[in-house]
Amino acid sequence: MIISRRSFLTKSAMLATLASLPAPIRGFGKSLNGLNFTPIRRGVGIFESRGGTIGWLVRPEALVVVDSQYPESAAVCLDGLKERSGRTIDLLINTHHHGDHTAGNAVLGADATHILAHANVPELQRRAAEKNDSLGAQKYADVTFEEIWEESIGDENIRISYFGAGHTSGDAIIHFQEADVVHMGDLVFNHRPAFIDLASGAETRNWIALLERAYKEFTDNTIFIFGHGNPTHGVLGTRDDLLAMADYFVALRQTVSDGIRDGKTSDEIAAAGLEGFDSYKLNGSSDGIAGNLKVVYEEVTGTVE
Ligand SMILES: [Zn+2]
């Protein structure tokens, strides 16, 4: 019952919030040299190309970027930012270490005074690069934080929090407080199956707790940026989308634990899938959900079948 209530709230609240954005701002995005820049509120916006959603803050005395995608799209993003700001980048923030959020650090980071990330990120990034044979292409955060990092840049106050392991063991939540816009990184895959990176410390139980904590910390006024979204729901939303994501994980964990109780194998649990959660079936396929069920089985039992 909770699941359907939250799903309903998610949709109606998001539509209400997004509809409240001024029409000229909503339509402005694609017109800037054809680049995918979308202003959101008070100088904060997003850039969408290949990889995780980039967030940006452009104010007279501040240029801040969240995540860097890949070198090619980072270069396009940097060009677009330079047309909107005469500043060098005051701060590049990485929401976490994954390549689709940090591979462009070499480009955007070269223009940035500092790169900031959670304290676990540089080592996670280095280990991943070692596996991918891409150590030479990495640019790492030179400023890190453990739980909270807060600073004013220009007339915006930025508060960055770490709520414990979720998608990885180094996910930052970035709140542009004056704009009241939050970048959640990959802590939210908006209405789509998630990448649960067990090798990098992902924990679905704490991921649920963390989303519920974030729901309480922010308000209905807060606009959220997500690392990835499905074609219908996109990468912007409200705090109700955090609960929708939490509900999805609750259902995954419950289904896996029921399956184990009934003596089912990982494959059998995955094949049975989840009831509901139609928005998580990309192109009508249940493969992503099945994949998530297998990873949660692996997480819960400590075994891969
Ligand atoms: Zn990720």
Side-chain angles (χ1 to χ4, degrees):
M1 287 305 110
I2 286 172
I3 287 161
S4 53
R5 179 180 60 82
R6 284 185 180 177
S7 299
F8 172 74
L9 283 174
T10 296
K11 196 169 180 207
S12 55
M14 179 167 77
L15 291 175
T17 296
L18 297 184
S20 72
L21 292 175
I25 287 181
R26 297 182 71 200
F28 180 66
K30 316 289 180 193
S31 66
L32 185 73
N33 294 337
L35 305 181
N36 297 327
F37 281 86
T38 307
I40 299 173
R41 187 158 66 196
R42 203 181 180 276
V44 177
I46 56 172
F47 171 83
E48 294 173 273
S49 179
R50 183 174 161 244
T53 314
I54 289 179
W56 45 261
L57 167 74
V58 176
R59 296 288 285 176
E61 292 179 24
L63 179 56
V64 176
V65 183
V66 182
D67 284 346
S68 63
Q69 296 187 349
Y70 295 99
E72 303 76 19
S73 55
V76 175
C77 181
L78 184 60
D79 283 349
L81 290 172
K82 290 295 176 183
E83 287 181 18
R84 317 182 91 204
S85 169
R87 299 180 68 79
T88 53
I89 296 170
D90 295 287
L91 185 65
L92 169 63
I93 302 160
N94 288 142
T95 57
H96 63 298
H97 75 282
H98 284 149
D100 60 325
H101 300 256
T102 59
N105 278 8
V107 175
L108 286 164
D111 188 72
T113 309
H114 291 291
I115 304 177
L116 182 145
H118 182 262
N120 292 338
V121 166
E123 177 58 15
L124 288 168
Q125 188 179 336
R126 194 194 60 72
R127 270 172 32 195
E130 207 165 42
K131 275 189 203 154
N132 301 332
D133 207 13
S134 62
L135 278 172
Q138 301 305 309
K139 192 167 173 67
Y140 300 95
D142 63 313
V143 180
T144 61
F145 75 102
E146 297 273 354
E147 295 202 350
I148 296 284
W149 181 95
E150 191 167 351
E151 199 168 288
S152 292
I153 301 182
D155 62 356
E156 180 56 274
N157 193 54
I158 304 171
R159 182 179 166 91
I160 307 178
S161 312
Y162 177 66
F163 287 176
H167 171 62
T168 68
S169 57
D171 304 290
I173 296 172
I174 296 107
H175 189 199
F176 295 98
Q177 292 183 306
E178 300 299 328
D180 200 6
V181 175
V182 171
H183 198 314
M184 291 294 289
D186 284 2
L187 288 171
V188 174
F189 285 72
N190 202 24
H191 293 267
R192 61 181 295 160
F195 175 31
I196 304 166
D197 189 356
L198 297 183
S200 298
E203 281 184 31
T204 56
R205 189 200 300 265
N206 191 59
W207 200 338
I208 293 165
L210 169 168
L211 289 167
E212 289 174 344
R213 180 174 165 193
Y215 176 88
K216 289 189 193 123
E217 182 132 326
F218 304 111
T219 71
D220 287 335
N221 183 57
T222 311
I223 296 174
F224 290 85
I225 301 167
F226 306 128
H228 306 274
N230 82 15
T232 309
H233 288 77
V235 295
L236 296 179
T238 71
R239 66 175 181 161
D240 289 318
D241 293 312
L242 310 186
L243 292 190
M245 175 95 189
D247 283 340
Y248 174 64
F249 277 128
V250 167
L252 288 175
R253 288 181 60 91
Q254 188 63 49
T255 301
V256 167
S257 107
D258 289 351
I260 291 170
R261 182 201 60 205
D262 296 342
K264 290 185 184 165
T265 65
S266 171
D267 284 344
E268 286 167 347
I269 293 169
L274 291 184
E275 228 173 281
F277 295 99
D278 288 343
S279 62
Y280 291 73
K281 293 170 187 161
L282 298 177
N283 303 317
S285 164
S286 299
D287 291 354
I289 295 173
N292 279 175
L293 286 165
K294 284 190 180 186
V295 175
V296 171
Y297 180 95
E298 182 186 342
E299 181 192 12
V300 171
T301 62
T303 55
V304 191
E305 280 189 8

